[in-house]
Amino acid sequence: MTHLYSVTLGVLVVAGLLTLVRLVHGPRALDRIVALDVIVTMVIAGTAVGMALRDDSTALPVLVVLALLAFIGSVTAAHLVEKRKGMR
């Protein structure tokens, strides 16, 4: 089972690096906003995998707070893009 966790974390790291490239190179603000939201989601997933690996659920409130922040950030970014037509 440990190999499965290692493979999962490896896939998350590769996906995080690819998303980081999108965050840096853009080209539009909306691309950067979505990339940042994906990175937050991958941090949540990595934390969940780490919790499963250690069989410890003490970080569950941190996951809930991060998920709420990601949701609020996505809604705020969508509202901002809707207001500013040039960001699309």
Side-chain angles (χ1 to χ4, degrees), residues 14 54 57 78:
V14 170
R54 288 174 290 153
S57 63

Side-chain angles (χ1 to χ4, degrees), residues 4-75:
L4 181 64
Y5 293 133
S6 299
V7 169
T8 305
L9 287 174
V11 168
L12 283 172
V13 166
V14 170
L17 290 174
L18 291 173
T19 307
L20 189 62
V21 169
R22 174 54 62 192
L23 180 67
V24 171
H25 291 295
R28 295 179 301 232
L30 187 58
D31 293 331
R32 290 183 173 99
I33 291 169
V34 170
L36 193 60
D37 189 44
V38 169
I39 287 175
V40 170
T41 303
M42 283 189 284
V43 166
I44 293 169
T47 306
V49 170
M51 285 172 43
L53 179 64
R54 288 174 290 153
D55 198 25
D56 182 26
S57 63
T58 56
L60 192 61
V62 173
L63 292 180
V64 172
V65 168
L66 280 175
L68 287 172
L69 284 175
F71 173 73
I72 291 171
S74 296
V75 170

